[in-house]
Amino acid sequence: PDDAPCAMISEVSPRGAIFAAQRGLPIVSRAATTPGGFNALATTWELYERHANRAGLEARRENWSLVVPMHLAETHEAARSEVAANLTRWLARHPGLATLLPGFSDPAEALISRGFAIIGTQEDAIAQVSRLTDATGGFGQFLLLYQDWATPEATARSIELCLDSLAAAPRWYP
């Protein structure tokens, strides 16, 4: 329902999408940019839509949110420099992301190359929106994952740049 007091978090498993659909709850794909989560996006929507229809409910893409970690700056070099000090500590607090790191000496490069995070410029943010739109067919909200990768000032500037980017991005929602 439009006034649902909560949403269901869904990662890679289909259970969250099915449960939310059967009850008319919005869905949040928290792992949308992890390799497994990204690969499951189309299936997540297909299951959500099918099970909502079976329950006599309408599946609406505006009720689907994708979570994306992102840090933006005016240049790629500035973005990487701003996160360099804290990114390794942040990753240590999220051991499940260790699978993204093998083969890379720079954790920022690993997260960027694997499609998990945007650490770059507004153009990179727009490209991520396009990538997610292509994979999903459209979604409602683009949720920024707030993280402690940079100083509070650099993070605030990153959020401003992201908001500006989203305003310029191709329409991702229905």
Side-chain angles (χ1 to χ4, degrees), residues 88-99:
T88 301
R89 276 190 297 249
W90 183 84
L91 284 166
R93 292 192 315 264
H94 298 85
L97 298 175
T99 60

Side-chain angles (χ1 to χ4, degrees), residues 36-171:
F38 181 80
N39 292 335
L41 288 173
T43 301
T44 296
W45 182 255
E46 187 276 324
L47 288 168
Y48 185 79
E49 188 171 46
R50 180 169 18 119
H51 286 274
N53 290 337
R54 282 185 187 164
L57 302 169
E58 180 185 5
R60 297 188 0 230
R61 288 186 183 272
E62 59 263 24
N63 289 334
W64 189 15
S65 301
L66 305 183
V67 178
V68 180
M70 188 177 299
H71 182 81
L72 303 181
E74 283 74 13
T75 67
H76 290 106
E77 296 76 20
R80 288 179 187 215
S81 173
E82 290 171 358
V83 304
N86 294 327
L87 187 57
T88 301
R89 276 190 297 249
W90 183 84
L91 284 166
R93 292 192 315 264
H94 298 85
L97 298 175
T99 60
L100 302 175
L101 303 177
F104 292 90
S105 58
D106 175 15
E109 183 60 33
L111 298 182
I112 294 164
S113 294
R114 303 272 194 222
F116 174 74
I118 298 301
I119 301 170
T121 65
Q122 289 179 299
E123 292 76 20
D124 299 316
I126 292 169
Q128 181 73 300
V129 169
S130 295
R131 175 178 172 255
L132 291 168
T133 302
D134 290 346
T136 63
F139 54 95
Q141 292 80 38
F142 188 88
L143 303 179
L144 292 175
L145 176 63
Y146 187 91
Q147 26 55 26
D148 297 321
W149 291 350
T151 65
E153 298 79 20
T155 300
R157 178 68 182 135
S158 171
I159 292 168
E160 290 173 18
L161 290 169
C162 183
L163 293 174
D164 290 345
S165 302
L166 295 177
R171 185 177 164 136

Side-chain angles (χ1 to χ4, degrees), residues 10-30:
S10 177
E11 291 188 353
V12 178
S13 163
R15 299 283 183 221
I18 293 169
F19 186 88
Q22 292 170 335
R23 289 155 181 82
L25 295 174
I27 187 170
V28 178
S29 291
R30 185 177 74 130

